[in-house]
Amino acid sequence: MDNVEQNKVAELGNCEDKASLISSEHNVVQHVEGAAYQNQGKFFYYDAPLSEETGVWIPVSVPPMWEREHEEWNRGLSLNGGYLPDRDMGWDNFVGENKDLTMWDVVSEMLIVARGKVGAIASSDVHRSMISWSSSHLLEQAWKEMAQTLTEANFGKMQEILKAEPPKWLADSSASACMLCNIRFHPIMCSRHHCRFCGGIFCNECSKGRSLMPTKFRTANPQRVCDVCCVCIESAQPYLMDQVSRAAQLPTRDLTDLSTLRSWLNFPWGQSMESEIYKATNTIEGYSQVGTLKPEKSIPDTILKEAKGLAILTVAKVGVVMTYKVGTGLVIARREDGSWSPPSAISSFGIGWGAQAGGELTDFIIVLRNQSAVKTFGGNVHFSAGAGLSAAAGIVGRVAEADVHAGLGGCSACYTYSCSKGAFIGCSLEGSMLTTRTKENSRFYGSPSINAVDILLGSLPCPPAASTLYHSLSNLFGKFNS
């Protein structure tokens, strides 16, 4: 009996021990869970775990947040999941001491500083207009500083370009394909071209640019360059036009007296603008001599005084019944202040028919009566239709005609005066086509994009290469200016 009671007492003790153990375990769990939620102010808030098997979830990769910082978080002062401390923010708070700064880091720092300045201004009692004025003033100052920086950088680049020396050209065998588009060369379909600035080998499509070269290249004509070099030296082209181009050089053919053979007779086809300038100067000087000896054959002063421009060219005409004529010259416009524009090269082609035979060489002076006439010669192509009686025999002959020129630039009336040398008799009705020599203008001024309108009606300065022409025009029109 005693043994049975002892066994029951033992079983009751075991039950009590188990109950106390369960209670203690339950208290431990409650203690841990309570500790986790009692310290919740030091961490970001997260939802409870979805499974009880994971236990209490305490993230170890999240930076601590104290109670005061948690209040700032609730007020919305966080930045991308972080927080903004009261003290000044430095790079040490985000990156290590040995970490290299990137452009994004610099921009972020500038944004933070700008945000602080804007906040300081907004928190003050300054009027909104003052804030707007301050912001625009700061932006204007920033743009000025940026423009100055870019100008200095561009100036340094230009100095490097102007001091460049001619490169050593690559051998043709060093490249079987274009160095830009990689298209294979072909003797007919795709030929090789060297870039004059870098010496590389390119196809025609990748080397269409024409640019002036620096002084050490010793050339005044625009040269073929690849597309990359064309963009690279584009900023230096205005300076090179004023220093290196053919228009910026002083003339070497400055004598029009009988001591030079070329002054005796103007050749009808000028190979360059310098030749056209010399021919025009020689024509004006010859007309001045004829006008002095025989005033009745000179151009009336009224017409010259009202002239808005002159077209001066030399034309050769030859044939029997059907005649052909060809020649070249230049056109120049007179500005409001009495000065003259830069010259623009022109050429003439024509056919005539009638009772005529022989050949002659004629120097023409076409007086452009108004601005519309100047615009007509500023077009790429213009036509002339005139009827006149010509008679030239011996050394000197005179012809006066009234022509109507029509072209892309408009329609206008002009007066034509000429001096013929040769033997030609007949009466004819003829028309001619005058065109602007765009390529010659580009070579002379060093700009592929220049056109006759820019030359005649623009603000380009007078080129030194035409100084002899301006001197002759000054002598011819000087009496009107005074």
Side-chain angles (χ1 to χ4, degrees):
M1 187 68 180
D2 294 334
N3 292 331
V4 173
E5 293 179 354
Q6 291 179 355
N7 290 335
K8 291 181 178 180
V9 171
E11 290 177 359
L12 292 172
N14 292 334
C15 291
E16 292 178 355
D17 293 337
K18 291 180 179 180
S20 61
L21 180 60
I22 292 173
S23 177
S24 62
E25 291 178 354
H26 181 70
N27 293 335
V28 169
V29 172
Q30 290 180 349
H31 177 71
V32 172
E33 293 178 354
Y37 286 96
Q38 287 174 0
N39 296 331
Q40 62 185 358
K42 195 174 181 178
F43 304 97
F44 287 101
Y45 286 95
Y46 293 91
D47 294 335
L50 298 179
S51 175
E52 295 181 355
E53 297 177 358
T54 59
V56 180
W57 185 9
I58 302 177
V60 296
S61 61
V62 180
M65 178 181 288
W66 305 101
E67 293 295 338
R68 178 173 53 81
E69 297 165 354
H70 177 65
E71 294 177 359
E72 295 178 354
W73 172 269
N74 291 333
R75 291 200 302 266
L77 298 179
S78 61
L79 180 63
N80 293 334
Y83 62 95
L84 296 175
D86 293 338
R87 63 184 183 275
D88 294 335
M89 297 180 66
W91 290 110
D92 296 338
N93 296 336
F94 299 98
V95 298
E97 295 181 356
N98 298 327
K99 186 175 180 180
D100 295 334
L101 297 181
T102 63
M103 181 59 69
W104 174 249
D105 297 332
V106 177
V107 174
S108 300
E109 182 72 11
M110 294 174 62
L111 290 176
I112 293 173
V113 173
R115 179 182 178 183
K117 291 184 177 180
V118 173
I121 295 176
S123 61
S124 63
D125 296 333
V126 183
H127 195 266
R128 287 186 178 181
S129 61
M130 295 296 295
I131 297 176
S132 177
W133 179 87
S134 300
S135 301
S136 61
H137 180 70
L138 292 175
L139 289 175
E140 183 180 358
Q141 187 67 21
W143 279 116
K144 287 183 179 180
E145 294 177 357
M146 184 180 297
Q148 182 179 0
T149 303
L150 293 176
T151 302
E152 294 176 355
N154 189 31
F155 179 76
K157 180 181 177 182
M158 184 180 296
Q159 291 295 326
E160 182 180 354
I161 294 174
L162 296 178
K163 294 179 180 179
E165 297 182 356
K168 184 178 180 180
W169 286 15
L170 296 177
D172 291 345
S173 59
S174 62
S176 60
C178 177
M179 299 176 68
L180 274 183
C181 65
N182 204 31
I183 186 173
R184 295 189 62 83
F185 293 121
H186 187 273
I188 299 176
M189 304 300 296
C190 183
S191 58
R192 291 175 171 86
H193 298 281
H194 281 84
C195 174
R196 272 56 171 177
F197 191 74
C198 67
I201 303 176
F202 305 91
C203 65
N204 183 62
E205 293 296 326
C206 296
S207 59
K208 287 185 175 181
R210 300 293 186 272
S211 301
L212 290 173
M213 297 291 103
T215 307
K216 294 183 179 180
F217 284 67
R218 296 183 180 277
T219 177
N221 293 326
Q223 301 295 313
R224 178 188 291 269
V225 292
C226 64
D227 293 345
V228 176
C229 292
C230 184
V231 175
C232 179
I233 63 179
E234 183 179 3
S235 59
Q237 292 304 301
Y239 175 82
L240 295 176
M241 288 179 62
D242 294 337
Q243 301 295 327
V244 180
S245 67
R246 288 158 48 189
Q249 312 305 317
L250 292 175
T252 55
R253 301 175 180 178
D254 55 352
L255 290 178
T256 57
D257 54 19
L258 297 179
S259 63
T260 57
L261 182 62
R262 66 173 61 94
S263 65
W264 292 10
L265 195 67
N266 288 332
F267 191 70
W269 188 267
Q271 298 295 326
S272 62
M273 179 69 83
E274 289 85 350
S275 299
E276 301 298 345
I277 291 174
Y278 181 83
K279 286 166 49 181
T281 304
N282 196 32
T283 299
I284 294 176
E285 293 293 338
Y287 165 77
S288 299
Q289 294 177 5
V290 173
T292 302
L293 297 176
K294 297 180 179 180
E296 68 278 1
K297 293 187 177 181
S298 63
I299 302 175
D301 292 345
T302 305
I303 295 178
L304 284 179
K305 185 177 181 180
E306 300 297 330
K308 300 299 181 181
L310 296 176
I312 307 170
L313 64 161
T314 301
V315 177
K317 181 168 64 173
V318 62
V320 177
V321 181
M322 182 71 70
T323 59
Y324 303 91
K325 60 181 182 179
V326 60
T328 59
L330 57 82
V331 59
I332 188 170
R334 192 181 185 190
R335 294 170 175 169
E336 296 295 335
D337 58 355
S339 62
W340 295 91
S341 71
S344 174
I346 58 175
S347 59
S348 175
F349 304 91
I351 298 177
W353 61 93
Q356 51 189 345
E360 65 179 356
L361 191 65
T362 307
D363 295 326
F364 287 95
I365 298 179
I366 304 176
V367 181
L368 310 181
R369 298 173 54 194
N370 48 44
Q371 204 71 11
S372 177
V374 177
K375 292 181 180 179
T376 299
F377 277 85
N380 291 331
V381 181
H382 35 280
F383 301 91
S384 173
L389 177 66
S390 62
I395 301 298
V396 178
R398 297 296 300 172
V399 176
E401 297 178 343
D403 289 350
V404 175
H405 293 262
L408 299 178
C411 182
S412 60
C414 306
Y415 287 125
T416 303
Y417 299 88
S418 63
C419 180
S420 300
K421 301 177 179 65
F424 199 95
I425 299 177
C427 180
S428 65
L429 177 67
E430 53 193 336
S432 61
M433 180 178 65
L434 287 85
T435 61
T436 299
R437 300 175 66 184
T438 305
K439 290 186 177 180
E440 182 55 36
N441 287 337
S442 299
R443 285 194 292 264
F444 181 69
Y445 294 102
S447 175
S449 60
I450 198 169
N451 54 52
V453 176
D454 296 334
I455 297 173
L456 299 176
L457 302 178
S459 58
L460 292 177
C462 299
S467 58
T468 54
L469 176 60
Y470 294 133
H471 179 71
S472 299
L473 291 172
S474 178
N475 294 335
L476 182 60
F477 287 83
K479 54 185 177 181
F480 307 124
N481 295 331
S482 59

